[in-house]
Amino acid sequence: MSEIITPATEPKKIMGRPRCLNDVTFHFCPGCNHGNVHKMIGEAIDEYGIQDRTIGVAGVGCGVFLYNYVDVDVLEAPHGRACAEATGINRVHPDKIIFTYQGDGDLAAIGLAETVHTANRGENITVIFVNNTVYGMTGGQMAPTTLLGQKSTTSPYGREFMGDGYPIKMCEMLATLEGTAFVARVACDTPKNLMAAKKAIKKAFKMQIDQMGFSFVEILSACPTNWGMTPKQAYKRVAAEMIPYFPLGVFKERTTADYM
Amino acid sequence: MALTLTKGNEAIAEGAIHAGCRFYFGYPITPQNDIPEYLAREMPKIGGTFIQAESEIASINMVLGAAAAGARVMTSSSGPGVSLMQEGISYLAGSELPALVVYISRIGPGLGGIAPTQGDYKQVTSGGGHGDYYTIVLAPASVQEMFSLTIKAFELADKYRNPAVLLCDAILGQMKEPVEIGPRPDFKDISLPDKPWALNGNAGRKSNLIKSLYLGDGEMEVQNWMLFDKYKKMKQEDTYFDTTDVDDAELLVVAFGSCSRMAQTGIDMAREQGMKVGMLRPISLFPFPEKAVAELSARIPKVLVVEMNTGQMYKDVKVNLDRAADIHLYARPGGGLPTPDDVLEEIKKIY
Ligand SMILES: Cc1ncc(C[n+]2csc(CCOP(=O)(O)OP(=O)(O)O)c2C)c(N)n1
Ligand code: SF4
Ligand SMILES: [Mg+2]
């Protein structure tokens, strides 16, 4: 038996839409983690009070409509090149807070060179990397992060290392570069992991505010639509298949900047 | 003012500094390396930024970022490098961003060679990348013009919020001529346009957005017509060309860039032999001096196009030619140089 409890006073709002997010509904599919990541970016921007000096660079993928949701200046970059655009902006406005928002196809396939070299230059920007192991926007083709055995529309028999190669571990790779200041991998599958993700994204922005150099957060995300799963199944897959191959954690965290 | 002996590529670099360009992103390729080398040396002295990018793809996208941030910005390259930049140039046009791409042509296709050519005329004047767009294209014919047209190209890019290309070749890039270059102006004395659309944080205003994706029904058609109107305005207000000896001419030579210099000497030789030959030199290749071709060819019945390719500008001349005029082509692709004697011979054949 249940009982309706009417609160004596209006409930105090303890959670809600970050101020710098527009009051519109996300276009993402149900269960998609792109929405969570947008929200966490919004929270970080609110937390540090940097909305009026933040510039976002949207990669091409399901996150391309960043500007519909996050109320900051935004540039839409060509597919894969967001880090180069961010470099150009950063050199013109070194005092602004610049972040890119990129998928795995965008960042780790077509834009790999720009990503690596921007990290290597220690460009003082933040990269938000949404790894969902597929090309979401174009309909679920194989990505550089597609797991071995994972079926996609262009790996219909499952990805094989002979021929397709291995899924790329971006955090591990970037952490080896002298230029990176903060490198972390997080996930959105459980409330606990969401908390850690939020913390890492905030930390990445903080590193940039403190002029520490290149900060990078990889977010393991669900794409229920292209995985052919319900949201619940998709989060289970993140835990069962993605996290074992893409371990979570902070791979690098500088305490002093290069120039210090 | 004192004349200084200056190399073409360096005149461009110095022109950029005079224009208030403080951001350069590029990748080495012969025959334009003097430009990045000059700017790598000079930019730090004047508070500017020089980055040697990891590729021409990265260069043009850094240019795109800096342009979106409101800066006067440039890159430079040659054949293979400019081919790699085409996606970015298309995005610059689609996102309506001003920037300068300096193109010092070398022979192609493929790795080709480092000899001069005008074989990139077609690529550059057609926009170059995907989509229904054009870039402003200026083609200097002397080191002095390499300096002045660099400044002009920046101004036009800003005027139209459109990428501009300065099209030169290995001859112009490498040759030294006495030029008049005044003292470097202070940055604060250079007048740069306001860019209220630029990305610099939304303090005190609504957020700015720079994009080229339009998925709404009919949106992209509106966008394309808007760009078309811009190109029409360029044609009306910013078409540039030069003419010599056309008043009494019975034969008109049309040539641009370095080729026009060799053709001009050929014309002078023909004049000495009593042949009335004049010259039309397109300076803006886009917008092309269509009216000048039409009007001059209505008066001068014979036209000879001289170019260092297999006949690319020839097509632009031909479509604008008076119906009664006769058109001829003297073409030298792949590094072949039309000497003044060669041009004189061609003139004699058809005069
Ligand atoms: C040069 C170029 N090649 C291909 C495309 C097509 N394209 C658009 S998005 C995309 C992949 C997106 O995948 P990802 O980066 O993983 O983002 P997601 O949608 O999964 O978030 C591709 C290949 C393009 N826009 N430009
Ligand atoms: S296709 Fe995948 S990544 Fe794109 S919105 Fe849907 S669930 Fe998200
Ligand atoms: Mg993806």
Side-chain angles (χ1 to χ4, degrees):
Chain A
M1 210 184 87
S2 64
E3 192 188 347
I4 298 168
I5 301 167
T6 319
T9 54
E10 275 296 298
K12 211 174 112 207
K13 200 169 177 184
I14 49 165
M15 287 257 281
R17 179 183 298 281
R19 283 187 307 281
C20 74
L21 288 198
N22 291 320
D23 191 5
V24 292
T25 314
F26 287 126
H27 74 283
F28 306 114
C29 312
C32 175
N33 288 134
H34 271 301
N36 300 85
V37 180
H38 277 59
K39 192 164 173 223
M40 291 186 283
I41 292 171
E43 283 163 352
I45 293 173
D46 280 2
E47 165 105 8
Y48 297 119
I50 51 173
Q51 182 180 6
D52 63 358
R53 61 185 185 107
T54 295
I55 301 168
V57 182
V60 180
C62 284
V64 71
F65 296 112
L66 181 75
Y67 45 82
N68 283 348
Y69 311 115
V70 186
D71 184 16
V72 295
D73 279 7
V74 172
L75 172 64
E76 177 192 272
H79 187 33
R81 317 297 169 207
C83 279
E85 267 73 20
T87 298
I89 299 172
N90 186 39
R91 296 307 174 106
V92 178
H93 299 305
D95 53 327
K96 306 292 182 210
I97 303 302
I98 298 144
F99 74 94
T100 71
Y101 187 98
Q102 304 177 255
D104 39 295
D106 192 88
L107 178 136
I110 192 167
L112 184 66
E114 285 77 10
T115 307
V116 169
H117 285 278
T118 303
N120 195 48
R121 279 191 303 271
E123 211 68 44
N124 191 41
I125 63 164
T126 298
V127 170
I128 305 295
F129 169 42
V130 178
N131 176 2
N132 57 12
T133 72
V134 282
Y135 285 18
M137 189 184 221
T138 42
Q141 294 84 2
M142 184 174 68
T145 49
T146 295
L147 293 173
L148 290 180
Q150 183 183 336
K151 289 182 176 155
S152 73
T153 58
T154 50
S155 57
Y157 309 108
R159 181 181 189 148
E160 287 190 63
F161 66 85
M162 295 282 285
D164 298 328
Y166 294 89
I168 288 186
K169 297 179 176 179
M170 284 308 302
C171 283
E172 287 80 345
M173 188 198 291
L174 294 180
T176 65
L177 300 175
E178 300 293 343
T180 50
F182 180 73
V183 179
R185 185 183 287 123
V186 297
C188 293
D189 59 323
T190 63
K192 181 168 160 263
N193 281 344
L194 274 168
M195 293 297 284
K198 185 171 159 178
K199 199 172 145 207
I201 289 176
K202 266 176 32 184
K203 178 79 193 177
F205 276 93
K206 184 73 169 69
M207 294 295 269
Q208 186 184 164
I209 292 166
D210 294 344
Q211 302 273 326
M212 296 292 278
F214 187 86
S215 53
F216 183 87
V217 183
E218 171 174 348
I219 301 113
L220 302 183
S221 303
C223 175
T225 302
N226 286 300
W227 295 356
M229 292 179 177
T230 64
K232 211 166 156 190
Q233 289 168 332
Y235 299 147
K236 277 206 177 124
R237 176 182 182 249
V238 171
E241 295 176 27
M242 285 179 79
I243 294 176
Y245 186 84
F246 295 117
L248 305 183
V250 174
F251 291 78
K252 186 166 177 187
E253 182 174 343
R254 259 200 196 147
T255 48
T256 48
D258 255 358
Y259 53 83
M260 282 173 180
Chain B
M1 203 177 289
L3 295 177
T4 47
L5 197 62
T6 305
K7 201 176 189 178
N9 281 337
E10 296 187 342
I12 291 174
E14 189 57 35
I17 292 173
H18 280 244
C21 170
R22 290 295 180 271
F23 295 90
Y24 175 95
F25 306 97
Y27 188 85
I29 186 169
T30 308
Q32 61 82 53
N33 290 326
D34 317 283
I35 300 173
E37 285 165 4
Y38 189 94
L39 292 172
R41 190 183 71 221
E42 296 304 313
M43 281 299 196
K45 297 183 194 165
I46 53 174
T49 293
F50 169 91
I51 298 187
Q52 181 168 321
E54 59 271 24
S55 70
E56 289 85 353
I57 299 179
S59 313
I60 195 72
N61 284 287
M62 289 175 188
V63 164
L64 199 159
R72 194 163 260 195
V73 55
M74 73 178 288
T75 184
S76 59
S77 191
S78 188
V82 182
S83 289
L84 279 180
M85 290 183 187
Q86 291 305 336
E87 185 202 31
I89 296 174
S90 167
Y91 272 74
L92 282 164
S95 316
E96 291 196 87
L97 288 173
L100 175 63
V101 177
V102 172
Y103 198 148
I104 311 293
S105 283
R106 52 185 269 166
I107 45 176
L111 196 50
I114 58 170
T117 178
Q118 296 183 325
D120 303 310
Y121 176 97
K122 166 171 64 74
Q123 178 194 33
V124 175
T125 57
S126 68
H130 61 286
D132 210 343
Y133 80 93
Y134 296 94
T135 61
I136 298 154
V137 185
L138 301 184
S142 65
V143 176
Q144 185 69 56
E145 276 190 354
M146 291 168 96
F147 175 78
S148 59
L149 290 181
T150 295
I151 299 172
K152 184 81 186 165
F154 275 117
E155 289 166 0
L156 292 178
D158 275 336
K159 175 175 173 184
Y160 292 103
R161 283 187 65 181
N162 201 72
V165 178
L166 192 77
L167 183 65
C168 314
D169 62 31
I171 302 178
L172 291 167
Q174 299 304 319
M175 77 185 188
K176 278 189 169 177
E177 287 186 313
V179 290
E180 206 182 286
I181 293 178
R184 262 185 209 172
D186 266 356
F187 186 72
K188 59 172 176 30
D189 298 331
I190 302 169
S191 82
L192 296 171
D194 274 346
K195 297 181 178 176
W197 46 264
L199 309 181
N200 49 18
N202 66 9
R205 59 161 168 79
K206 280 192 169 163
S207 295
N208 281 342
L209 165 63
I210 294 178
K211 64 160 187 167
S212 60
L213 176 72
Y214 295 92
L215 292 177
D217 237 2
E219 268 187 319
M220 203 62 225
E221 185 168 3
V222 172
Q223 191 68 8
N224 273 297
W225 281 121
M226 182 275 293
L227 292 177
F228 178 83
D229 287 342
K230 187 149 91 171
Y231 306 138
K232 211 163 76 184
K233 187 168 148 119
M234 288 176 192
K235 268 183 207 176
Q236 284 157 0
E237 297 178 16
D238 289 290
T239 299
Y240 301 99
F241 58 90
D242 194 16
T243 54
T244 47
D245 296 327
V246 290
D247 289 345
D248 65 342
E250 285 169 15
L251 188 153
L252 180 73
V253 172
V254 186
F256 74 95
S258 60
C259 190
S260 71
R261 298 283 291 272
M262 296 175 271
Q264 184 61 55
T265 313
I267 290 170
D268 295 343
M269 287 156 69
R271 283 257 165 199
E272 275 164 28
Q273 297 183 17
M275 288 177 275
K276 291 177 178 162
V277 186
M279 157 95 103
L280 167 64
R281 174 170 73 93
I283 295 173
S284 58
L285 302 183
F286 187 92
F288 190 73
E290 297 169 353
K291 246 173 75 184
V293 169
E295 286 171 8
L296 287 168
S297 62
R299 234 167 10 85
I300 308 170
K302 287 178 184 162
V303 175
L304 171 65
V305 178
V306 183
E307 50 183 332
M308 285 148 56
N309 55 48
T310 52
Q312 298 185 5
M313 182 176 68
Y314 173 83
K315 290 179 186 159
D316 283 334
V317 175
K318 195 167 179 186
V319 291
N320 292 296
L321 206 68
D322 187 80
R323 285 169 73 181
D326 227 7
I327 186 167
H328 302 264
L329 170 68
Y330 180 54
R332 295 295 303 272
L337 298 181
T339 65
D341 282 323
D342 293 337
V343 176
L344 177 64
E345 279 314 301
E346 289 303 310
I347 290 172
K348 279 186 184 163
K349 268 191 233 166
I350 59 176
Y351 187 78

